Amino acid sequence: MAVNYSAKEEADGHPSGGVGVPGGGAGGGGGGAGKTRKPDNTAFKQQRLPAWQPILTAGTVLPAFFIIGLIFIPIGIGIFVTSNNIREYEIDYTGTEPSSPCNKCLNVSWDSTPPCTCTINFTLEHSFESNVFMYYGLSNFYQNHRRYVKSRDDSQLNGDNSSLHNPSKECEPYRTNEDKPIAPCGAIANSMFNDTLELYRIDNDTRTPITLIKKGIAWWTDKNVKFRNPTGDGNNLTALFQGTTKPINWPKPVYMLDSEPDNNGFINEDFIVWMRTAALPTFRKLYRLIERKNNLQPTLQAGKYSLDIAYNYPVHSFDGRKRMILSTISWMGGKNPFLGIAYITVGSICFFLGVVLLIIHHKYGNRNTSADIPN
Amino acid sequence: DNLCICFQYTFWNFVPKNLFEQFRRIANFYFLIIFLVQLIIDTPTSPVTSGLPLLFVITVTAIKQGYEDWLRHKADNAMNQCPVHFIQHGKLVRKQSRKLRVGDIVMVKEDETFPCDLIFLSSSRGDGTCFVTTASLDGESSHKTYYAVQDTKAFHNEQEIDALHATIECEQPQPDLYKFVGRINVYHDRNEPTARPLGSENLLLRGATLKNTEKIFGVAIYTGMETKMALNYQAKSQKRSAVEKSMNVFLIVYLCILISKALINTVLKYVWQSEPFRDEPWYNQKTEPERKRNLFLRAFTDFLAFMVLFNYIIPVSMYVTVEMQKFLGSYFLTWDEEMFDEDTGEGPLVNTSDLNEELGQIEYVFTDKTGTLTENNMEFVECCIEGHIYVPHVICNGQILHDCTGIDMIDSSPGGSGKEREELFFRALCLCHTVQVKDDDSVDGLKKNHLSRGSCIYISSSPDEVALVEGIQRLGYTYLRLKDNFMEILNRENNIEKFELLEVLSFDSVRRRMSVIVKSSTGDIFMFCKGADSSIFPRVKEGKIDQIRSRVERNAVEGLRTLCVAYKKLTAEEYSNAQKLLQNAKLALQDREKKLAEVYEKIERDFILLGATAVEDRLQEKAADTIEALQKAGIKVWVLTGDKMETAAATCYACKLFRRNTQILELTTKKIEEQSLHDVLFDLSKTVLRHSGSLTRDTFSGLSTDMQDYGLIIDGAALSLIMKPRQDGSSGNYRELFLEICRNCSAVLCCRMAPLQKAQIVKLIKLSKEHPITLAIGDGANDVSMILEAHVGIGIIGKEGRQAARNSDYAIPKFKHLKKMLLVHGHFYYVRISELVQYFFYKNVCFIFPQFLYQFFCGFSQQ
């Protein structure tokens, strides 16, 4: 009987194993090698590659919370402080309020000559230590509208001569004027910002102009790669742009944007900055740079200043606003208190949750410590 | 003609048909629409962005399907072009199988497969019979005897056959393998034709194999797609996995989200634009044609543009990625070392990678028995003589290692009388059977070793008998042959004993026993009887009944098939009486069967019990382990087999499908004859439901330890009764009742199933309320329809040809691999695909929602 039983066992195979998933555990050791069709015993093919699946226990979650909290709070504080050290000053010169000096210019049109000018005086409470960036800001201006964004011809801007005289269809209805192709064509170029801003420091009733640098405000790639003047015989832009006409709203053609040849035509930096469309209807664009002259003086001292505006750009018709912004920058860009606050908030929440969970764990966690899987 | 078609496409219709098939997928169609919209109107993204991926998806899928179909073409060609001998103008001609026409006379040689359904005209055997195995049709590997038509069985060569002039009328082709009605009219020399009825015993089915007969002639009546085998196939339809289905549901939800988003944006756009300085500020004028366009047209194109803008919420790449993931993932299956079979040198095959994740969600497994659960060869395990147990020393696959022919005497060595009984027992086993001997011509290496012991191949309609005779051969008694009614036995001393065979009281399933009456050389007349324990024990008057009975019960529990052997010595007078009775009964014209049964009843009594045998239908390696694991995993395992109920039930016990404490419910023809189907069903459901009622109570009180599980046995005839729609329309009731019973049974065994019935069962479960996911596994051609019907079809790369493996979704070398396939790979696949799909939807929502919000900041201009 005994023999019979063991024989049966042998025939029936090995004692039954567990039902559980073996998880690709110890693979059966090889066997007869040399058969070509036998699959390779590699970790990948047998699905034995190491894998890690975190199991959430108090032991792993609590430290994670604390660590996140402890890392995030200092980062947040650092960013917040940096952001607060950035000086920023903003003036709205739209002139919607009757008291504003620019109120008289509110309803200017494009080609009013002489341009309506206004002057706004302001006082800087703190001095601006490092280089100052001067921006203009527009609100409610949908530079991101699809019809608007498309309305340009990149190959024309890249100096392609055939596109210069035959701009892309996308530029409609700013493609031709009086049967002449517009250069640069399209709605974006046509609506280029054309207010002139000048900054004066008022020191004992004397107005000293502050040097505004207009070069170096565009991206290097835009200036050197994406935007190029048309090529041809000679460097005379007027001749090169022969046969084209200026955009409808522009007072002067594109080859008269600036006197310097390396900042004229399509590679005018103000133009390049404008052509890089903003993503949101409220945006600011870099206008000028104010460089620090020497290490002894701040770039802009605290004190009185005045802003002279040649008011050409109408925004009232679409409820827009115009602003002038003076700002310094730090390693993390412009003034942005949000990021620091976000870091601090998340860090605090994690820390707080960590504390709460720790208390809970201490009070109730001992009941089933055996269920905790040590990790 | 005899053309067999399994492929889907031809060379010409591939492109249109395949494109049509592909665009029937919601997603493909959707992307096509998006692509067209992008082509037509001005949209934020260029048509290339959605056109290219779509093109890629379509091309990859088309290449894949084209390749698969090409393989199918090749397989069909191989089948259609295999040579067939048939007779034209008295000569034997070889032709391709597909050129066969109805009415052609075909010659089939031994071990060839019938190319189409044939009416059996004549055979090389004198008595007009032939042996056929229908293993690839219904899974029974035993040899069946078919009979030639009376009037034609005399024709033995081509010329004679060609001279035959006859017509055959038969019914329209129908899928039932066991039914055939027809009539043959044979015209002899312008006389009135003699009409003969044709039955299924005259019909040789396509797919069956001729055995043990040199050659036969037959006339083709059903060919090609009309053969019973082809009718039992089902059209291969594309299977979709449940994940894919739920993916489609998700897609529809996302489509709704998409449409609502686009609608909201369009409406808001026009609200926002109602102020002219917003619609057309001075810096952003419209062109003339834009201004003039109809408002509704404009709104509609805006809507479409928003659709295009947000269309990535429905991920085009998901389909490609999911398909790639599935395709590459399926390699893990083929790479798996544990699923590689050393013996055959084959690993698993993946035919469709679409269903990977379904493997992890199987609720019902339908398995074939023969060749799937079992190895399909019987093994003599032990015998018990007078309570002494003998075990052949070596258990090996039907091959006898000739140096190990000894047996173990477990009990103390029997005394003198025991020795006598023992020899009698062995002789009884040697004599009491209907085995035929075929001289082994094709001697292979292994068999050569024991040629000295009179190697021969035994053939019988019952594999048990073969196993027994082979087992006895190992114990020293070799049955040599039946010659002129004398059975020759080679005994242990290598002497040939001769017994005259007087009567054979053949086996039938009601009596469950058979007897022979032999006359030994010394003139003694013995009657040996062999049969199931239940039918032998009541007829025994002496012998160590109790010991043997306990042994038999033990063996039965272990899943062995037991037979008891008894004998009695007849005096000449008794024999002549018996012979007279038998003769009378055999000559009776009416109720012959019944009268014979009565006579058998009278003769077969007062036996002396000799012993019992145990035969094992060897299970596949680890089959029981696998089934147990599957059941523990909550998967219900059903066994569907064409085999006899007893055999099947024994296997089920052996592979632990039924356990010792399983209460067996029987729903068989026999039972239905006793009661009406209605009553039986209601009785069963009452038992089961009472049980399940108490089960819930038990689980509440925490007393589920003594819970009982039920096993149901149902046979084909009963099933067809249940499935048959009734006039009063209460069939649905039966079906539901049946389903209810099945659901409460942990294991179900369906026996005597035709291939199509197997598919019916699968379909029944598949379409039941819970829509469970089903898996069918089998190895023979008879399982193909079931494999195709189930959600996942698995073929065993087995001995019975590769038909099942070819038509399956996955093919594995052994049944045991199912465990790892379902519980490991299926699980992995399911987890991975779900995470992938969910991540895709998550990703797309993340991607598109900011887009949606941005529209509020860019004047709803679709930027």
Side-chain angles (χ1 to χ4, degrees):
Chain A
M1 185 165 154
V3 170
N4 173 45
Y5 191 75
S6 70
K8 184 92 183 62
E9 180 85 25
E10 204 178 326
D12 225 78
H14 311 282
S16 60
V19 206
V21 180
K35 262 180 197 150
T36 43
R37 294 197 51 194
K38 187 171 168 60
D40 307 335
N41 184 11
T42 57
F44 175 68
K45 287 191 174 179
Q46 302 305 321
Q47 305 194 54
R48 266 186 275 111
L49 289 178
W52 182 64
Q53 252 181 336
I55 297 162
L56 299 181
T57 61
T60 54
V61 172
L62 284 179
F65 269 126
F66 283 115
I67 289 168
I68 291 174
L70 289 177
I71 291 174
F72 274 30
I73 291 173
I75 291 178
I77 290 170
I79 291 174
F80 189 69
V81 169
T82 323
S83 170
N84 271 357
N85 283 338
I86 293 168
R87 300 271 171 250
E88 192 172 287
Y89 189 84
E90 191 170 323
I91 305 170
D92 188 322
Y93 67 92
T94 322
T96 36
E97 304 84 22
S99 58
S100 163
C102 289
N103 187 247
K104 57 178 178 181
C105 302
L106 195 56
N107 289 314
V108 289
S109 71
W110 276 99
D111 39 7
S112 50
T113 39
C116 170
T117 54
C118 52
T119 304
I120 294 175
N121 294 323
F122 62 97
T123 313
L124 290 180
E125 305 284 338
H126 308 280
S127 63
F128 285 50
E129 296 290 341
S130 55
N131 289 347
V132 176
F133 293 77
M134 186 177 180
Y135 302 91
Y136 58 90
L138 293 177
S139 298
N140 216 7
F141 188 96
Y142 284 84
Q143 242 200 338
N144 57 9
H145 196 279
R146 187 167 140 68
R147 203 181 329 122
Y148 186 83
V149 170
K150 282 197 308 175
S151 187
R152 63 193 282 166
D153 186 346
D154 277 324
S155 67
Q156 187 192 45
L157 297 171
N158 199 23
D160 188 84
N161 275 323
S162 63
S163 298
L164 180 70
H165 297 288
N166 187 17
S168 149
K169 288 267 184 304
E170 303 280 350
C171 285
E172 289 287 2
Y174 304 99
R175 187 165 163 264
T176 53
N177 189 20
E178 292 160 359
D179 290 335
K180 273 186 171 173
I182 294 175
C185 77
I188 311 177
N190 183 56
S191 57
M192 186 179 153
F193 184 76
N194 60 353
D195 283 0
T196 316
L197 307 175
E198 277 163 354
L199 203 55
Y200 294 92
R201 176 170 158 72
I202 301 172
D203 214 5
N204 302 329
D205 288 344
T206 55
R207 281 159 52 100
T208 10
I210 290 168
T211 328
L212 301 176
I213 299 163
K214 58 187 172 188
K215 288 209 259 182
I217 55 172
W219 292 14
W220 185 89
T221 48
D222 279 2
K223 170 109 180 160
N224 294 290
V225 179
K226 204 174 171 192
F227 290 82
R228 279 194 204 128
N229 277 324
T231 49
D233 311 322
N235 284 328
N236 189 354
L237 283 181
T238 321
L240 290 173
F241 282 101
Q242 190 69 49
T244 62
T245 182
K246 69 175 179 68
I248 304 158
N249 290 350
W250 284 20
K252 336 175 246 202
V254 68
Y255 47 85
M256 285 165 70
L257 281 176
D258 200 275
S259 51
E260 295 174 51
D262 65 338
N263 196 25
N264 201 4
F266 289 153
I267 55 169
N268 176 272
E269 296 202 10
D270 283 331
F271 175 66
I272 293 172
V273 167
W274 179 255
M275 290 306 283
R276 186 158 281 283
T277 51
L280 290 175
T282 300
F283 59 91
R284 60 170 69 163
K285 280 177 185 292
L286 191 55
Y287 184 64
R288 292 290 182 262
L289 302 174
I290 306 168
E291 266 182 0
R292 188 171 186 169
K293 291 207 184 63
N294 52 46
N295 288 333
L296 303 173
Q297 277 184 320
T299 322
L300 293 178
Q301 289 166 308
K304 283 189 174 174
Y305 291 86
S306 82
L307 177 69
D308 277 18
I309 303 139
Y311 199 117
N312 294 317
Y313 205 72
V315 291
H316 188 58
S317 64
F318 54 88
D319 264 352
R321 313 285 291 180
K322 298 199 280 192
R323 288 160 295 139
M324 191 283 300
I325 303 115
L326 293 171
S327 172
T328 58
I329 59 162
S330 69
W331 52 268
M332 49 161 284
K335 195 178 177 93
N336 186 5
F338 173 79
L339 193 61
I341 292 172
Y343 263 105
I344 292 170
T345 316
V346 170
S348 318
I349 288 173
C350 281
F351 198 81
F352 175 71
L353 276 179
V355 171
V356 169
L357 289 178
L358 186 67
I359 292 167
I360 291 173
H361 181 60
H362 246 286
K363 264 195 161 176
Y364 308 104
N366 295 331
R367 206 176 294 159
N368 49 0
T369 37
S370 58
D372 282 358
I373 296 156
N375 222 344
Chain B
D1 55 356
N2 199 28
L3 203 60
C4 217
I5 298 166
C6 302
F7 52 83
Q8 270 180 308
Y9 308 108
T10 63
F11 184 71
W12 303 110
N13 73 4
F14 177 72
V15 171
K17 198 176 172 188
N18 186 262
L19 280 185
F20 177 73
E21 283 286 323
Q22 289 203 39
F23 284 120
R24 269 175 35 183
R25 270 189 166 182
I26 300 179
N28 286 350
F29 186 68
Y30 166 78
F31 290 117
L32 180 73
I33 295 289
I34 292 287
F35 177 64
L36 291 180
V37 166
Q38 281 182 325
L39 276 185
I40 293 163
I41 66 161
D42 162 55
T43 54
T45 48
S46 93
V48 179
T49 53
S50 63
L52 268 188
L54 185 66
L55 194 72
F56 180 72
V57 178
I58 299 280
T59 330
V60 166
T61 320
I63 289 174
K64 187 181 138 207
Q65 289 182 349
Y67 177 70
E68 279 169 3
D69 210 54
W70 181 64
L71 290 184
R72 250 174 263 143
H73 268 280
K74 272 210 326 200
D76 284 353
N77 274 346
M79 190 147 66
N80 287 329
Q81 285 174 355
C82 71
V84 172
H85 297 275
F86 61 105
I87 290 161
Q88 260 177 352
H89 311 302
K91 271 183 221 141
L92 202 61
V93 186
R94 261 167 78 106
K95 270 196 181 179
Q96 286 180 350
S97 159
R98 62 173 175 171
K99 297 210 174 117
L100 204 60
R101 299 274 182 284
V102 172
D104 284 343
I105 291 176
V106 180
M107 189 192 85
V108 181
K109 289 186 189 149
E110 184 168 3
D111 288 330
E112 277 182 354
T113 316
F114 299 117
C116 61
D117 289 358
L118 301 170
I119 289 290
F120 182 21
L121 293 178
S122 71
S123 94
S124 62
R125 295 172 76 94
D127 51 355
T129 57
C130 71
F131 295 95
V132 161
T133 162
T134 51
S136 63
L137 282 171
D138 56 9
E140 282 186 67
S141 57
S142 59
H143 293 215
K144 294 198 189 68
T145 314
Y146 282 79
Y147 300 92
V149 179
Q150 274 301 310
D151 306 72
T152 58
K153 71 178 183 186
F155 302 128
H156 284 308
N157 58 41
E158 293 83 18
Q159 286 79 19
E160 283 171 358
I161 284 283
D162 204 47
L164 173 67
H165 184 57
T167 57
I168 292 176
E169 294 166 40
C170 56
E171 57 188 346
Q172 287 296 310
Q174 55 158 313
D176 195 327
L177 287 180
Y178 304 111
K179 241 183 229 165
F180 174 71
V181 182
R183 191 169 57 181
I184 183 165
N185 297 316
V186 184
Y187 299 92
H188 296 288
D189 312 325
R190 298 199 185 83
N191 286 346
E192 273 297 292
T194 39
R196 290 277 172 186
L198 299 174
S200 58
E201 74 274 8
N202 306 117
L203 184 69
L204 304 170
L205 300 172
R206 175 179 193 156
T209 314
L210 185 66
K211 291 281 180 193
N212 205 26
T213 311
E214 197 186 312
K215 62 180 180 182
I216 62 116
F217 292 103
V219 56
I221 54 162
Y222 301 130
T223 56
M225 300 308 284
E226 286 181 343
T227 59
K228 286 188 185 285
M229 185 176 84
L231 288 174
N232 265 294
Y233 279 149
Q234 290 186 320
K236 192 167 188 177
S237 59
Q238 275 248 310
K239 290 182 192 176
R240 300 271 166 81
S241 74
V243 167
E244 207 178 323
K245 277 177 199 149
S246 67
M247 234 154 78
N248 283 344
V249 174
F250 262 100
L251 282 182
I252 289 170
V253 170
Y254 274 71
L255 196 68
C256 293
I257 296 176
L258 169 71
I259 289 173
S260 56
K261 269 186 177 179
L263 265 181
I264 288 169
N265 268 330
T266 319
V267 169
L268 285 178
K269 174 172 181 158
Y270 283 89
V271 170
W272 188 78
Q273 282 183 352
S274 58
E275 289 182 58
F277 71 82
R278 281 195 184 138
D279 188 20
E280 273 194 283
W282 60 262
Y283 55 86
N284 192 10
Q285 300 281 327
K286 289 180 189 170
T287 54
E288 272 310 300
E290 262 177 328
R291 269 189 216 131
K292 281 182 193 145
R293 212 184 287 164
N294 178 297
L295 175 74
F296 290 103
L297 195 66
R298 230 163 47 199
F300 184 65
T301 38
D302 276 332
F303 172 73
L304 287 184
F306 277 120
M307 288 275 283
V308 171
L309 180 68
F310 298 140
N311 89 77
Y312 292 105
I313 199 170
I314 296 177
V316 64
S317 55
M318 182 172 77
Y319 276 92
V320 195
T321 318
V322 164
E323 215 133 279
M324 290 293 273
Q325 191 263 1
K326 282 179 175 178
F327 179 69
L328 296 179
S330 63
Y331 274 102
F332 280 118
L333 198 68
T334 42
W335 283 337
D336 194 319
E337 205 179 24
E338 282 170 43
M339 295 185 52
F340 185 79
D341 192 45
E342 296 278 348
D343 304 334
T344 55
E346 304 218 43
L349 293 176
V350 179
N351 294 337
T352 6
S353 51
D354 287 345
L355 301 169
N356 287 345
E357 69 278 359
E358 293 289 83
L359 293 174
Q361 289 181 293
I362 304 295
E363 284 173 63
Y364 283 85
V365 169
F366 297 94
T367 162
D368 179 37
K369 185 187 77 74
T370 324
T372 307
L373 289 178
T374 64
E375 298 255 16
N376 200 12
N377 52 27
M378 298 289 172
E379 190 75 36
F380 178 75
V381 177
E382 64 163 41
C383 57
C384 162
I385 306 166
E386 297 272 285
H388 309 302
I389 293 151
Y390 298 77
V391 182
H393 201 71
V394 184
I395 296 172
C396 48
N397 246 350
Q399 293 148 1
I400 310 134
L401 302 180
H402 62 105
D403 53 351
C404 306
T405 46
I407 54 167
D408 276 2
M409 303 285 190
I410 311 289
D411 270 321
S412 58
S413 164
S417 71
K419 196 80 182 165
E420 202 177 289
R421 283 280 172 87
E422 183 193 315
E423 282 178 8
L424 203 56
F425 175 82
F426 291 144
R427 277 188 198 117
L429 283 180
C430 271
L431 297 172
C432 182
H433 54 71
T434 54
V435 170
Q436 282 151 340
V437 180
K438 184 188 162 225
D439 290 326
D440 191 8
D441 295 328
S442 56
V443 185
D444 56 32
L446 250 169
K447 294 242 158 123
K448 231 173 215 162
N449 291 342
H450 46 266
L451 242 172
S452 55
R453 282 202 67 87
S455 159
C456 35
I457 292 176
Y458 298 109
I459 292 165
S460 162
S461 56
S462 155
D464 300 54
E465 290 194 329
V466 177
L468 279 178
V469 174
E470 277 180 354
I472 294 302
Q473 187 178 23
R474 250 176 289 163
L475 294 180
Y477 285 80
T478 313
Y479 171 65
L480 290 179
R481 59 189 158 157
L482 174 67
K483 197 175 157 193
D484 309 329
N485 253 353
F486 278 94
M487 296 172 109
E488 295 178 4
I489 295 175
L490 191 71
N491 67 11
R492 276 191 195 156
E493 285 79 40
N494 269 353
N495 296 327
I496 291 177
E497 298 176 15
K498 280 194 179 180
F499 291 87
E500 187 185 357
L501 182 62
L502 299 173
E503 294 287 344
V504 177
L505 286 65
S506 58
F507 181 86
D508 69 61
S509 57
V510 181
R511 271 160 64 232
R512 309 220 285 170
R513 62 178 182 270
M514 69 163 291
S515 310
V516 289
I517 300 175
V518 293
K519 193 174 175 185
S520 74
S521 47
T522 54
D524 294 332
I525 301 171
F526 289 102
M527 178 170 181
F528 294 113
C529 180
K530 178 179 80 174
D533 48 354
S534 58
S535 60
I536 295 283
F537 284 130
R539 291 165 200 286
V540 167
K541 68 167 199 255
E542 60 178 284
K544 297 184 176 172
I545 301 173
D546 290 337
Q547 280 162 316
I548 292 174
R549 190 198 292 274
S550 71
R551 187 67 206 165
V552 162
E553 277 167 6
R554 230 196 77 104
N555 283 340
V557 162
E558 280 181 15
L560 303 175
R561 296 151 64 130
T562 55
L563 287 173
C564 292
V565 180
Y567 85 106
K568 74 175 168 181
K569 215 166 178 176
L570 295 176
T571 59
E573 196 182 329
E574 277 171 325
Y575 168 65
S576 60
N577 272 340
Q579 196 191 20
K580 213 177 285 168
L581 284 170
L582 281 169
Q583 213 61 35
N584 281 338
K586 275 184 184 167
L587 290 176
L589 287 174
Q590 287 162 345
D591 295 335
R592 193 190 294 166
E593 302 273 308
K594 200 174 155 196
K595 280 185 180 153
L596 266 179
E598 277 169 15
V599 173
Y600 289 157
E601 189 78 5
K602 242 181 240 168
I603 300 174
E604 292 173 324
R605 55 170 38 163
D606 303 331
F607 286 117
I608 301 162
L609 189 62
L610 279 171
T613 60
V615 169
E616 186 183 16
D617 186 2
R618 273 281 294 275
L619 288 178
Q620 281 214 351
E621 203 187 336
K622 287 191 188 173
D625 180 34
T626 307
I627 287 201
E628 215 176 2
L630 292 182
Q631 280 190 332
K632 268 192 208 158
I635 298 170
K636 290 190 174 175
V637 181
W638 290 35
V639 175
L640 311 181
T641 174
D643 236 343
K644 290 193 288 289
M645 189 184 123
E646 292 81 12
T647 327
T651 315
C652 288
Y653 275 110
C655 63
K656 296 185 186 162
L657 186 64
F658 294 158
R659 263 161 253 187
R660 226 166 285 189
N661 56 357
T662 309
Q663 189 181 332
I664 301 294
L665 309 168
E666 280 185 34
L667 187 61
T668 52
T669 332
K670 210 171 88 194
K671 229 173 157 187
I672 287 169
E673 274 166 8
E674 288 161 12
Q675 292 168 283
S676 75
L677 173 67
H678 189 81
D679 293 347
V680 177
L681 272 175
F682 271 94
D683 274 2
L684 290 181
S685 71
K686 234 184 270 168
T687 348
V688 173
L689 292 180
R690 198 192 313 128
H691 157 71
S692 67
S694 65
L695 181 78
T696 45
R697 237 181 299 126
D698 277 352
T699 40
F700 275 127
S701 55
L703 282 170
S704 51
T705 42
D706 56 353
M707 122 190 172
Q708 201 173 19
D709 49 1
Y710 286 88
L712 179 74
I713 300 179
I714 184 168
D715 64 2
L719 184 78
S720 61
L721 272 179
I722 290 169
M723 305 291 273
K724 199 157 56 187
R726 283 164 39 118
Q727 283 85 354
D728 50 5
S730 61
S731 72
N733 226 347
Y734 280 167
R735 270 189 212 199
E736 237 137 77
L737 212 55
F738 174 63
L739 269 179
E740 189 65 33
I741 297 167
C742 290
R743 250 182 256 135
N744 286 303
C745 292
S746 60
V748 178
L749 164 66
C750 307
C751 37
R752 282 262 160 247
M753 290 280 154
L756 217 51
Q757 273 185 318
K758 292 186 179 184
Q760 262 178 0
I761 291 244
V762 175
K763 197 169 186 173
L764 186 72
I765 297 299
K766 197 166 98 172
L767 298 179
S768 68
K769 263 183 289 177
E770 295 91 357
H771 295 291
I773 290 170
T774 54
L775 176 144
I777 178 167
D779 70 328
N782 59 328
D783 307 313
V784 168
S785 54
M786 145 171 115
I787 285 172
L788 291 178
E789 180 65 48
H791 289 101
V792 183
I794 294 185
I796 303 265
I797 310 169
K799 296 171 199 150
E800 293 182 22
R802 287 186 162 249
Q803 205 123 34
R806 258 217 326 268
N807 283 288
S808 61
D809 303 310
Y810 301 92
I812 50 177
K814 287 274 166 67
F815 183 74
K816 64 173 179 181
H817 297 135
L818 194 65
K819 178 173 148 191
K820 192 168 182 197
M821 187 154 167
L822 295 189
L823 301 181
V824 180
H825 287 288
H827 181 75
F828 278 178
Y829 283 136
Y830 185 55
V831 169
R832 286 172 188 168
I833 197 84
S834 340
E835 279 181 2
L836 182 76
V837 170
Q838 284 177 350
Y839 173 71
F840 254 99
F841 280 114
Y842 163 75
K843 184 198 78 178
N844 281 287
V845 169
C846 282
F847 179 45
I848 287 304
F849 202 64
Q851 280 269 27
F852 174 69
L853 290 181
Y854 187 64
Q855 296 308 307
F856 290 84
F857 294 95
C858 72
F860 307 100
S861 59
Q862 301 120 33
Q863 178 58 33

